[in-house]
Amino acid sequence: MPNRPINVLYIDDDATLGRLVQRMLARHNYVVEHVETADAGLARAEAGGMDVIILDHDLGTASGLDVLSVLSKDAASPAVIYVTASSELSIAVTALKAGAMDYVVKTVGEDFEILLRAALEHAVVKTRLTRAREQAEQEVRAARDRAVTLLAEVNHRVANSLSLVGSLVRMQANSVEDPGAKAALAETQARITAIGNLHRSLYTSDDVRAVDLAGYLRSLLDEFAQSLAGSGQMPVIRFEAETVLAKTDKAISIGLIATELVTNALKYAYPNGQGEVRVSLSREGDIVTLKVVDDGIGWSGTGTIRGTGLGSKIVRAMAKSLATELRYADTGGRGTHAVMELSFAGLAPPASEVA
């Protein structure tokens, strides 16, 4: 038996039996408090401090089942051992279905004491195990909530830091005169923005383990268009997308690829800075398709790479990390159609991670 006394509430209208049970169980480290009515029993149970309740079936003007019905509505209510003088199994079954942990049939002699003690010991052990499990689960949930909060805070700070870096790069671009250097700094700022927006999406998301690609790419392209408008360019960037959840590392790669493709379209398809770029994200079965289309001078993906080639290297590296490659559709020289197909199974977090 446990070292500390076990507090037992005994609800029975038989005062004599109540005193007998008190004396009987006191020898085994139980402190029994006896009440004779249903109302008194419910009031004492609500006051708390009880480890187990012994509840008699026949309470004179009330039934133990009525009391059990009230007790079972309180998740914090102690375990109930149902006691009945009847040998009818249906009463015991009804009591167990109503929430009793165990039942004991009143008998004459030592059998009742033995059965009641056994039921009490079982109830105490089971209750303590249940409470220990609930406490452990509560601690795990609390630890998880702290970790999620901390991760959101980290993403918040990273997003702010990257935003500051992006602003510094933009200031540097505004201070240089060389067109090549200005363009290179603008592209660098776009790449920083792509990563920063991902972290911003994470700290505003309900689940930091997954990113909605549609929302992420939309915010990325909107900010990209605004930055271009600030530099005097007025391109039209249209975006259509289906909702696709992706792992955070995969989303960063896709965001960088989209940024590079749109940048290339604006730099080389429309030398005067005017034109339309259409970006789409769609899913069919297990295939997620990213397209970047323009109506400019056209590029088939072959021939001499214009510029430094850094953007193409970034796209190839990101595509490789996604286990895919970028291809260019044959347009007959009318614009550029860049297409990248991805496996949804490789993008999406496991179902258990997106609850």
Side-chain angles (χ1 to χ4, degrees):
M1 287 300 302
N3 292 326
R4 79 166 182 83
I6 303 301
N7 296 317
V8 178
L9 174 62
Y10 182 39
I11 307 174
D12 192 331
D13 65 340
D14 188 332
T16 301
L17 185 57
R19 289 191 294 272
L20 176 62
V21 169
Q22 284 179 316
R23 291 195 301 270
M24 180 176 66
L25 295 179
R27 299 193 298 266
H28 303 285
N29 210 27
Y30 292 99
V31 177
V32 180
E33 185 172 337
H34 174 233
V35 296
E36 299 182 12
T37 66
D39 289 341
L42 289 172
R44 184 60 189 88
E46 185 178 0
M50 292 295 146
D51 297 298
V52 185
I53 296 175
I54 302 174
L55 175 61
D56 188 45
H57 174 64
D58 186 0
L59 297 175
T61 59
S63 168
L65 292 174
D66 297 329
V67 177
L68 185 58
S69 176
V70 177
L71 293 173
S72 62
K73 295 177 182 177
D74 183 2
S77 179
V80 175
I81 298 172
Y82 204 74
V83 175
T84 174
S86 173
S87 59
E88 291 185 19
L89 188 59
S90 60
I91 296 177
V93 171
T94 301
L96 293 173
K97 287 183 177 180
M101 181 177 290
D102 206 343
Y103 75 95
V104 175
V105 177
K106 290 181 181 179
T107 58
V108 178
E110 295 182 357
D111 287 349
F112 178 57
E113 178 181 354
I114 294 172
L115 292 172
L116 188 58
R117 282 178 51 201
L120 280 170
E121 291 174 7
H122 172 258
V124 169
V125 171
K126 188 171 182 179
T127 298
R128 287 183 173 174
L129 288 174
T130 299
R131 289 177 179 173
R133 186 187 72 247
E134 291 173 349
Q135 178 66 25
E137 291 175 349
Q138 183 177 357
E139 292 174 357
V140 169
R141 287 193 297 270
R144 177 187 175 279
D145 290 344
R146 287 194 297 270
V148 169
T149 301
L150 179 60
L151 185 55
E153 177 64 21
V154 169
N155 282 311
H156 190 182
R157 295 188 181 188
V158 170
N160 287 345
S161 296
L162 288 172
S163 178
L164 175 60
V165 173
S167 297
L168 293 174
V169 172
R170 182 174 63 254
M171 292 172 61
Q172 185 68 50
N174 292 335
S175 69
V176 299
E177 299 296 333
D178 181 78
K182 188 181 290 289
L185 289 170
E187 291 172 16
T188 299
Q189 183 197 347
R191 292 162 187 150
I192 293 171
T193 298
I195 301 173
N197 277 7
L198 185 281
H199 287 280
R200 187 171 292 109
S201 296
L202 289 177
Y203 79 73
T204 58
S205 171
D206 292 333
D207 191 331
V208 296
R209 297 162 296 182
V211 176
D212 173 16
L213 281 178
Y216 168 49
L217 292 177
R218 187 178 300 279
S219 67
L220 185 61
L221 294 173
D222 286 347
E223 189 163 339
F224 186 55
Q226 290 174 11
S227 67
L228 290 174
S231 65
Q233 292 179 283
M234 297 297 292
V236 176
I237 302 176
R238 302 193 185 280
F239 179 60
E240 293 183 359
E242 299 178 26
T243 299
V244 177
L245 288 179
K247 301 173 187 175
T248 54
D249 58 330
K250 305 297 184 184
I252 288 179
S253 297
I254 294 171
L256 286 171
I257 289 172
T259 299
E260 296 300 328
L261 292 176
V262 172
T263 299
N264 286 342
L266 296 175
K267 283 174 60 178
Y268 303 119
Y270 306 114
N272 62 358
Q274 303 296 323
E276 180 177 282
V277 180
R278 296 178 294 281
V279 182
S280 65
L281 181 75
S282 60
R283 177 186 172 189
E284 185 173 348
D286 187 52
I287 301 300
V288 175
T289 303
L290 174 69
K291 292 182 181 179
V292 178
V293 177
D294 65 63
D295 301 316
I297 60 178
W299 168 251
S300 63
T302 60
T304 304
I305 296 177
R306 286 167 288 184
T308 64
L310 177 59
S312 297
K313 291 178 181 178
I314 291 175
V315 170
R316 285 197 300 271
M318 295 298 100
K320 185 176 180 180
S321 72
L322 294 167
T324 187
E325 61 181 14
L326 182 72
R327 62 180 177 84
Y328 290 87
D330 185 7
T331 63
R334 297 190 300 273
T336 301
H337 288 204
V339 181
M340 185 176 66
E341 294 182 340
L342 304 143
S343 167
F344 176 72
L347 290 179
S352 60
E353 292 186 8
V354 187

PDB file of all heavy atoms in Angstrom, residues 167-201:
ATOM      1  N   SER A 167      17.320  46.004 -47.197  1.00  0.00           N
ATOM      2  CA  SER A 167      17.252  47.469 -47.264  1.00  0.00           C
ATOM      3  C   SER A 167      18.635  48.072 -47.457  1.00  0.00           C
ATOM      4  O   SER A 167      18.809  49.043 -48.220  1.00  0.00           O
ATOM      5  CB  SER A 167      16.624  48.017 -45.978  1.00  0.00           C
ATOM      6  OG  SER A 167      15.296  47.561 -45.836  1.00  0.00           O
ATOM      7  N   LEU A 168      19.629  47.494 -46.789  1.00  0.00           N
ATOM      8  CA  LEU A 168      21.003  47.987 -46.952  1.00  0.00           C
ATOM      9  C   LEU A 168      21.494  47.766 -48.376  1.00  0.00           C
ATOM     10  O   LEU A 168      22.162  48.630 -48.956  1.00  0.00           O
ATOM     11  CB  LEU A 168      21.928  47.278 -45.951  1.00  0.00           C
ATOM     12  CG  LEU A 168      21.683  47.593 -44.470  1.00  0.00           C
ATOM     13  CD1 LEU A 168      22.575  46.714 -43.595  1.00  0.00           C
ATOM     14  CD2 LEU A 168      21.949  49.069 -44.190  1.00  0.00           C
ATOM     15  N   VAL A 169      21.164  46.598 -48.949  1.00  0.00           N
ATOM     16  CA  VAL A 169      21.562  46.320 -50.336  1.00  0.00           C
ATOM     17  C   VAL A 169      20.870  47.295 -51.283  1.00  0.00           C
ATOM     18  O   VAL A 169      21.482  47.795 -52.250  1.00  0.00           O
ATOM     19  CB  VAL A 169      21.232  44.862 -50.705  1.00  0.00           C
ATOM     20  CG1 VAL A 169      21.467  44.618 -52.199  1.00  0.00           C
ATOM     21  CG2 VAL A 169      22.074  43.895 -49.889  1.00  0.00           C
ATOM     22  N   ARG A 170      19.589  47.586 -51.042  1.00  0.00           N
ATOM     23  CA  ARG A 170      18.862  48.532 -51.893  1.00  0.00           C
ATOM     24  C   ARG A 170      19.482  49.922 -51.802  1.00  0.00           C
ATOM     25  O   ARG A 170      19.627  50.627 -52.823  1.00  0.00           O
ATOM     26  CB  ARG A 170      17.388  48.581 -51.497  1.00  0.00           C
ATOM     27  CG  ARG A 170      16.569  49.509 -52.393  1.00  0.00           C
ATOM     28  CD  ARG A 170      15.082  49.446 -52.106  1.00  0.00           C
ATOM     29  NE  ARG A 170      14.758  49.891 -50.753  1.00  0.00           N
ATOM     30  CZ  ARG A 170      14.401  49.084 -49.766  1.00  0.00           C
ATOM     31  NH1 ARG A 170      14.320  47.766 -49.972  1.00  0.00           N
ATOM     32  NH2 ARG A 170      14.125  49.567 -48.571  1.00  0.00           N
ATOM     33  N   MET A 171      19.872  50.329 -50.602  1.00  0.00           N
ATOM     34  CA  MET A 171      20.522  51.627 -50.438  1.00  0.00           C
ATOM     35  C   MET A 171      21.839  51.674 -51.195  1.00  0.00           C
ATOM     36  O   MET A 171      22.184  52.683 -51.833  1.00  0.00           O
ATOM     37  CB  MET A 171      20.745  51.916 -48.951  1.00  0.00           C
ATOM     38  CG  MET A 171      19.464  52.136 -48.157  1.00  0.00           C
ATOM     39  SD  MET A 171      19.752  52.256 -46.373  1.00  0.00           S
ATOM     40  CE  MET A 171      20.816  53.701 -46.305  1.00  0.00           C
ATOM     41  N   GLN A 172      22.564  50.541 -51.126  1.00  0.00           N
ATOM     42  CA  GLN A 172      23.826  50.478 -51.861  1.00  0.00           C
ATOM     43  C   GLN A 172      23.587  50.562 -53.358  1.00  0.00           C
ATOM     44  O   GLN A 172      24.332  51.233 -54.086  1.00  0.00           O
ATOM     45  CB  GLN A 172      24.543  49.168 -51.513  1.00  0.00           C
ATOM     46  CG  GLN A 172      25.943  49.046 -52.131  1.00  0.00           C
ATOM     47  CD  GLN A 172      26.915  50.040 -51.520  1.00  0.00           C
ATOM     48  OE1 GLN A 172      27.024  50.136 -50.305  1.00  0.00           O
ATOM     49  NE2 GLN A 172      27.617  50.799 -52.370  1.00  0.00           N
ATOM     50  N   ALA A 173      22.543  49.872 -53.838  1.00  0.00           N
ATOM     51  CA  ALA A 173      22.228  49.920 -55.270  1.00  0.00           C
ATOM     52  C   ALA A 173      21.877  51.334 -55.703  1.00  0.00           C
ATOM     53  O   ALA A 173      22.237  51.762 -56.813  1.00  0.00           O
ATOM     54  CB  ALA A 173      21.068  48.962 -55.571  1.00  0.00           C
ATOM     55  N   ASN A 174      21.186  52.072 -54.862  1.00  0.00           N
ATOM     56  CA  ASN A 174      20.795  53.438 -55.213  1.00  0.00           C
ATOM     57  C   ASN A 174      21.990  54.395 -55.244  1.00  0.00           C
ATOM     58  O   ASN A 174      21.927  55.463 -55.865  1.00  0.00           O
ATOM     59  CB  ASN A 174      19.754  53.966 -54.222  1.00  0.00           C
ATOM     60  CG  ASN A 174      18.425  53.230 -54.350  1.00  0.00           C
ATOM     61  OD1 ASN A 174      18.111  52.685 -55.413  1.00  0.00           O
ATOM     62  ND2 ASN A 174      17.652  53.217 -53.277  1.00  0.00           N
ATOM     63  N   SER A 175      23.062  54.005 -54.549  1.00  0.00           N
ATOM     64  CA  SER A 175      24.217  54.902 -54.456  1.00  0.00           C
ATOM     65  C   SER A 175      25.262  54.671 -55.536  1.00  0.00           C
ATOM     66  O   SER A 175      26.203  55.464 -55.661  1.00  0.00           O
ATOM     67  CB  SER A 175      24.877  54.753 -53.076  1.00  0.00           C
ATOM     68  OG  SER A 175      25.499  53.472 -52.954  1.00  0.00           O
ATOM     69  N   VAL A 176      25.140  53.597 -56.311  1.00  0.00           N
ATOM     70  CA  VAL A 176      26.133  53.323 -57.355  1.00  0.00           C
ATOM     71  C   VAL A 176      25.605  53.810 -58.695  1.00  0.00           C
ATOM     72  O   VAL A 176      24.394  53.886 -58.921  1.00  0.00           O
ATOM     73  CB  VAL A 176      26.474  51.815 -57.421  1.00  0.00           C
ATOM     74  CG1 VAL A 176      27.059  51.331 -56.108  1.00  0.00           C
ATOM     75  CG2 VAL A 176      25.248  50.992 -57.797  1.00  0.00           C
ATOM     76  N   GLU A 177      26.537  54.141 -59.581  1.00  0.00           N
ATOM     77  CA  GLU A 177      26.173  54.653 -60.899  1.00  0.00           C
ATOM     78  C   GLU A 177      26.253  53.588 -61.982  1.00  0.00           C
ATOM     79  O   GLU A 177      25.515  53.651 -62.968  1.00  0.00           O
ATOM     80  CB  GLU A 177      27.096  55.830 -61.263  1.00  0.00           C
ATOM     81  CG  GLU A 177      27.021  57.010 -60.310  1.00  0.00           C
ATOM     82  CD  GLU A 177      25.656  57.657 -60.300  1.00  0.00           C
ATOM     83  OE1 GLU A 177      24.952  57.563 -61.331  1.00  0.00           O
ATOM     84  OE2 GLU A 177      25.290  58.274 -59.272  1.00  0.00           O
ATOM     85  N   ASP A 178      27.126  52.633 -61.803  1.00  0.00           N
ATOM     86  CA  ASP A 178      27.330  51.616 -62.833  1.00  0.00           C
ATOM     87  C   ASP A 178      26.076  50.756 -62.997  1.00  0.00           C
ATOM     88  O   ASP A 178      25.598  50.152 -62.028  1.00  0.00           O
ATOM     89  CB  ASP A 178      28.519  50.728 -62.451  1.00  0.00           C
ATOM     90  CG  ASP A 178      28.788  49.677 -63.515  1.00  0.00           C
ATOM     91  OD1 ASP A 178      29.382  50.015 -64.554  1.00  0.00           O
ATOM     92  OD2 ASP A 178      28.376  48.506 -63.303  1.00  0.00           O
ATOM     93  N   PRO A 179      25.506  50.687 -64.197  1.00  0.00           N
ATOM     94  CA  PRO A 179      24.277  49.911 -64.416  1.00  0.00           C
ATOM     95  C   PRO A 179      24.433  48.428 -64.075  1.00  0.00           C
ATOM     96  O   PRO A 179      23.505  47.818 -63.530  1.00  0.00           O
ATOM     97  CB  PRO A 179      23.995  50.110 -65.914  1.00  0.00           C
ATOM     98  CG  PRO A 179      24.698  51.370 -66.266  1.00  0.00           C
ATOM     99  CD  PRO A 179      25.931  51.403 -65.420  1.00  0.00           C
ATOM    100  N   GLY A 180      25.592  47.855 -64.404  1.00  0.00           N
ATOM    101  CA  GLY A 180      25.816  46.438 -64.100  1.00  0.00           C
ATOM    102  C   GLY A 180      25.819  46.172 -62.603  1.00  0.00           C
ATOM    103  O   GLY A 180      25.218  45.208 -62.128  1.00  0.00           O
ATOM    104  N   ALA A 181      26.509  47.027 -61.870  1.00  0.00           N
ATOM    105  CA  ALA A 181      26.547  46.870 -60.410  1.00  0.00           C
ATOM    106  C   ALA A 181      25.178  47.090 -59.809  1.00  0.00           C
ATOM    107  O   ALA A 181      24.755  46.382 -58.882  1.00  0.00           O
ATOM    108  CB  ALA A 181      27.553  47.859 -59.811  1.00  0.00           C
ATOM    109  N   LYS A 182      24.455  48.082 -60.332  1.00  0.00           N
ATOM    110  CA  LYS A 182      23.106  48.358 -59.824  1.00  0.00           C
ATOM    111  C   LYS A 182      22.188  47.159 -60.053  1.00  0.00           C
ATOM    112  O   LYS A 182      21.420  46.761 -59.169  1.00  0.00           O
ATOM    113  CB  LYS A 182      22.547  49.602 -60.528  1.00  0.00           C
ATOM    114  CG  LYS A 182      21.223  50.106 -59.961  1.00  0.00           C
ATOM    115  CD  LYS A 182      20.733  51.317 -60.718  1.00  0.00           C
ATOM    116  CE  LYS A 182      21.599  52.525 -60.444  1.00  0.00           C
ATOM    117  NZ  LYS A 182      21.399  53.036 -59.055  1.00  0.00           N
ATOM    118  N   ALA A 183      22.284  46.536 -61.243  1.00  0.00           N
ATOM    119  CA  ALA A 183      21.442  45.380 -61.547  1.00  0.00           C
ATOM    120  C   ALA A 183      21.810  44.190 -60.672  1.00  0.00           C
ATOM    121  O   ALA A 183      20.942  43.453 -60.180  1.00  0.00           O
ATOM    122  CB  ALA A 183      21.579  45.014 -63.017  1.00  0.00           C
ATOM    123  N   ALA A 184      23.115  43.988 -60.449  1.00  0.00           N
ATOM    124  CA  ALA A 184      23.561  42.866 -59.626  1.00  0.00           C
ATOM    125  C   ALA A 184      23.072  43.011 -58.191  1.00  0.00           C
ATOM    126  O   ALA A 184      22.640  42.042 -57.551  1.00  0.00           O
ATOM    127  CB  ALA A 184      25.085  42.766 -59.664  1.00  0.00           C
ATOM    128  N   LEU A 185      23.122  44.231 -57.671  1.00  0.00           N
ATOM    129  CA  LEU A 185      22.652  44.470 -56.310  1.00  0.00           C
ATOM    130  C   LEU A 185      21.141  44.284 -56.209  1.00  0.00           C
ATOM    131  O   LEU A 185      20.627  43.771 -55.208  1.00  0.00           O
ATOM    132  CB  LEU A 185      23.046  45.872 -55.848  1.00  0.00           C
ATOM    133  CG  LEU A 185      24.545  46.075 -55.576  1.00  0.00           C
ATOM    134  CD1 LEU A 185      24.859  47.548 -55.370  1.00  0.00           C
ATOM    135  CD2 LEU A 185      24.976  45.263 -54.349  1.00  0.00           C
ATOM    136  N   ALA A 186      20.426  44.680 -57.256  1.00  0.00           N
ATOM    137  CA  ALA A 186      18.973  44.497 -57.258  1.00  0.00           C
ATOM    138  C   ALA A 186      18.609  43.023 -57.247  1.00  0.00           C
ATOM    139  O   ALA A 186      17.663  42.590 -56.562  1.00  0.00           O
ATOM    140  CB  ALA A 186      18.369  45.187 -58.478  1.00  0.00           C
ATOM    141  N   GLU A 187      19.365  42.224 -57.999  1.00  0.00           N
ATOM    142  CA  GLU A 187      19.112  40.781 -58.016  1.00  0.00           C
ATOM    143  C   GLU A 187      19.436  40.159 -56.660  1.00  0.00           C
ATOM    144  O   GLU A 187      18.729  39.263 -56.186  1.00  0.00           O
ATOM    145  CB  GLU A 187      19.945  40.128 -59.121  1.00  0.00           C
ATOM    146  CG  GLU A 187      19.485  40.512 -60.521  1.00  0.00           C
ATOM    147  CD  GLU A 187      20.435  40.011 -61.587  1.00  0.00           C
ATOM    148  OE1 GLU A 187      21.262  39.122 -61.274  1.00  0.00           O
ATOM    149  OE2 GLU A 187      20.363  40.495 -62.734  1.00  0.00           O
ATOM    150  N   THR A 188      20.509  40.638 -56.045  1.00  0.00           N
ATOM    151  CA  THR A 188      20.865  40.144 -54.714  1.00  0.00           C
ATOM    152  C   THR A 188      19.767  40.459 -53.709  1.00  0.00           C
ATOM    153  O   THR A 188      19.398  39.633 -52.870  1.00  0.00           O
ATOM    154  CB  THR A 188      22.199  40.770 -54.253  1.00  0.00           C
ATOM    155  OG1 THR A 188      23.226  40.393 -55.156  1.00  0.00           O
ATOM    156  CG2 THR A 188      22.560  40.291 -52.848  1.00  0.00           C
ATOM    157  N   GLN A 189      19.227  41.673 -53.816  1.00  0.00           N
ATOM    158  CA  GLN A 189      18.137  42.048 -52.915  1.00  0.00           C
ATOM    159  C   GLN A 189      16.933  41.139 -53.123  1.00  0.00           C
ATOM    160  O   GLN A 189      16.266  40.726 -52.162  1.00  0.00           O
ATOM    161  CB  GLN A 189      17.730  43.495 -53.141  1.00  0.00           C
ATOM    162  CG  GLN A 189      16.631  43.952 -52.176  1.00  0.00           C
ATOM    163  CD  GLN A 189      15.937  45.203 -52.647  1.00  0.00           C
ATOM    164  OE1 GLN A 189      16.401  45.883 -53.568  1.00  0.00           O
ATOM    165  NE2 GLN A 189      14.820  45.529 -52.018  1.00  0.00           N
ATOM    166  N   ALA A 190      16.610  40.789 -54.372  1.00  0.00           N
ATOM    167  CA  ALA A 190      15.472  39.914 -54.655  1.00  0.00           C
ATOM    168  C   ALA A 190      15.677  38.541 -54.033  1.00  0.00           C
ATOM    169  O   ALA A 190      14.737  37.928 -53.520  1.00  0.00           O
ATOM    170  CB  ALA A 190      15.276  39.789 -56.158  1.00  0.00           C
ATOM    171  N   ARG A 191      16.914  38.048 -54.069  1.00  0.00           N
ATOM    172  CA  ARG A 191      17.203  36.732 -53.469  1.00  0.00           C
ATOM    173  C   ARG A 191      17.058  36.778 -51.954  1.00  0.00           C
ATOM    174  O   ARG A 191      16.544  35.851 -51.330  1.00  0.00           O
ATOM    175  CB  ARG A 191      18.603  36.282 -53.865  1.00  0.00           C
ATOM    176  CG  ARG A 191      18.734  35.960 -55.353  1.00  0.00           C
ATOM    177  CD  ARG A 191      20.165  35.939 -55.821  1.00  0.00           C
ATOM    178  NE  ARG A 191      20.240  35.801 -57.282  1.00  0.00           N
ATOM    179  CZ  ARG A 191      21.209  36.299 -58.031  1.00  0.00           C
ATOM    180  NH1 ARG A 191      22.198  36.986 -57.467  1.00  0.00           N
ATOM    181  NH2 ARG A 191      21.197  36.125 -59.337  1.00  0.00           N
ATOM    182  N   ILE A 192      17.535  37.867 -51.371  1.00  0.00           N
ATOM    183  CA  ILE A 192      17.384  38.026 -49.917  1.00  0.00           C
ATOM    184  C   ILE A 192      15.908  38.099 -49.554  1.00  0.00           C
ATOM    185  O   ILE A 192      15.458  37.496 -48.563  1.00  0.00           O
ATOM    186  CB  ILE A 192      18.122  39.290 -49.442  1.00  0.00           C
ATOM    187  CG1 ILE A 192      19.633  39.122 -49.621  1.00  0.00           C
ATOM    188  CG2 ILE A 192      17.796  39.585 -47.973  1.00  0.00           C
ATOM    189  CD1 ILE A 192      20.421  40.392 -49.377  1.00  0.00           C
ATOM    190  N   THR A 193      15.138  38.815 -50.356  1.00  0.00           N
ATOM    191  CA  THR A 193      13.697  38.937 -50.109  1.00  0.00           C
ATOM    192  C   THR A 193      13.011  37.585 -50.186  1.00  0.00           C
ATOM    193  O   THR A 193      12.104  37.286 -49.397  1.00  0.00           O
ATOM    194  CB  THR A 193      13.066  39.899 -51.127  1.00  0.00           C
ATOM    195  OG1 THR A 193      13.654  41.196 -50.972  1.00  0.00           O
ATOM    196  CG2 THR A 193      11.562  40.013 -50.913  1.00  0.00           C
ATOM    197  N   ALA A 194      13.444  36.744 -51.142  1.00  0.00           N
ATOM    198  CA  ALA A 194      12.830  35.420 -51.299  1.00  0.00           C
ATOM    199  C   ALA A 194      12.975  34.597 -50.027  1.00  0.00           C
ATOM    200  O   ALA A 194      12.046  33.898 -49.601  1.00  0.00           O
ATOM    201  CB  ALA A 194      13.461  34.689 -52.480  1.00  0.00           C
ATOM    202  N   ILE A 195      14.143  34.671 -49.417  1.00  0.00           N
ATOM    203  CA  ILE A 195      14.373  33.897 -48.186  1.00  0.00           C
ATOM    204  C   ILE A 195      13.679  34.565 -47.006  1.00  0.00           C
ATOM    205  O   ILE A 195      13.056  33.902 -46.164  1.00  0.00           O
ATOM    206  CB  ILE A 195      15.885  33.764 -47.920  1.00  0.00           C
ATOM    207  CG1 ILE A 195      16.558  33.058 -49.103  1.00  0.00           C
ATOM    208  CG2 ILE A 195      16.143  32.997 -46.622  1.00  0.00           C
ATOM    209  CD1 ILE A 195      18.073  33.023 -49.023  1.00  0.00           C
ATOM    210  N   GLY A 196      13.747  35.897 -46.945  1.00  0.00           N
ATOM    211  CA  GLY A 196      13.111  36.608 -45.838  1.00  0.00           C
ATOM    212  C   GLY A 196      11.612  36.418 -45.808  1.00  0.00           C
ATOM    213  O   GLY A 196      11.012  36.238 -44.742  1.00  0.00           O
ATOM    214  N   ASN A 197      10.971  36.419 -46.975  1.00  0.00           N
ATOM    215  CA  ASN A 197       9.518  36.228 -47.025  1.00  0.00           C
ATOM    216  C   ASN A 197       9.114  34.842 -46.562  1.00  0.00           C
ATOM    217  O   ASN A 197       8.024  34.644 -46.004  1.00  0.00           O
ATOM    218  CB  ASN A 197       9.006  36.471 -48.445  1.00  0.00           C
ATOM    219  CG  ASN A 197       8.795  37.935 -48.732  1.00  0.00           C
ATOM    220  OD1 ASN A 197       9.141  38.778 -47.920  1.00  0.00           O
ATOM    221  ND2 ASN A 197       8.236  38.260 -49.885  1.00  0.00           N
ATOM    222  N   LEU A 198       9.984  33.867 -46.814  1.00  0.00           N
ATOM    223  CA  LEU A 198       9.699  32.512 -46.332  1.00  0.00           C
ATOM    224  C   LEU A 198       9.625  32.505 -44.814  1.00  0.00           C
ATOM    225  O   LEU A 198       8.700  31.957 -44.219  1.00  0.00           O
ATOM    226  CB  LEU A 198      10.776  31.551 -46.843  1.00  0.00           C
ATOM    227  CG  LEU A 198      10.642  30.041 -46.568  1.00  0.00           C
ATOM    228  CD1 LEU A 198      11.038  29.664 -45.176  1.00  0.00           C
ATOM    229  CD2 LEU A 198       9.249  29.551 -46.892  1.00  0.00           C
ATOM    230  N   HIS A 199      10.583  33.139 -44.165  1.00  0.00           N
ATOM    231  CA  HIS A 199      10.578  33.183 -42.694  1.00  0.00           C
ATOM    232  C   HIS A 199       9.405  34.006 -42.182  1.00  0.00           C
ATOM    233  O   HIS A 199       8.823  33.693 -41.138  1.00  0.00           O
ATOM    234  CB  HIS A 199      11.904  33.761 -42.187  1.00  0.00           C
ATOM    235  CG  HIS A 199      13.051  32.820 -42.321  1.00  0.00           C
ATOM    236  ND1 HIS A 199      13.290  31.802 -41.423  1.00  0.00           N
ATOM    237  CD2 HIS A 199      14.012  32.712 -43.271  1.00  0.00           C
ATOM    238  CE1 HIS A 199      14.357  31.132 -41.803  1.00  0.00           C
ATOM    239  NE2 HIS A 199      14.815  31.653 -42.926  1.00  0.00           N
ATOM    240  N   ARG A 200       9.010  35.030 -42.934  1.00  0.00           N
ATOM    241  CA  ARG A 200       7.832  35.809 -42.539  1.00  0.00           C
ATOM    242  C   ARG A 200       6.571  34.952 -42.644  1.00  0.00           C
ATOM    243  O   ARG A 200       5.685  35.015 -41.790  1.00  0.00           O
ATOM    244  CB  ARG A 200       7.709  37.050 -43.432  1.00  0.00           C
ATOM    245  CG  ARG A 200       6.602  38.015 -42.984  1.00  0.00           C
ATOM    246  CD  ARG A 200       6.660  39.322 -43.751  1.00  0.00           C
ATOM    247  NE  ARG A 200       7.854  40.075 -43.407  1.00  0.00           N
ATOM    248  CZ  ARG A 200       8.888  40.253 -44.215  1.00  0.00           C
ATOM    249  NH1 ARG A 200       8.880  39.724 -45.423  1.00  0.00           N
ATOM    250  NH2 ARG A 200       9.930  40.950 -43.832  1.00  0.00           N
ATOM    251  N   SER A 201       6.502  34.131 -43.684  1.00  0.00           N
ATOM    252  CA  SER A 201       5.358  33.215 -43.822  1.00  0.00           C
ATOM    253  C   SER A 201       5.320  32.227 -42.666  1.00  0.00           C
ATOM    254  O   SER A 201       4.246  31.857 -42.180  1.00  0.00           O
ATOM    255  CB  SER A 201       5.457  32.450 -45.143  1.00  0.00           C
ATOM    256  OG  SER A 201       5.353  33.319 -46.245  1.00  0.00           O
TER     257      SER A 201
END
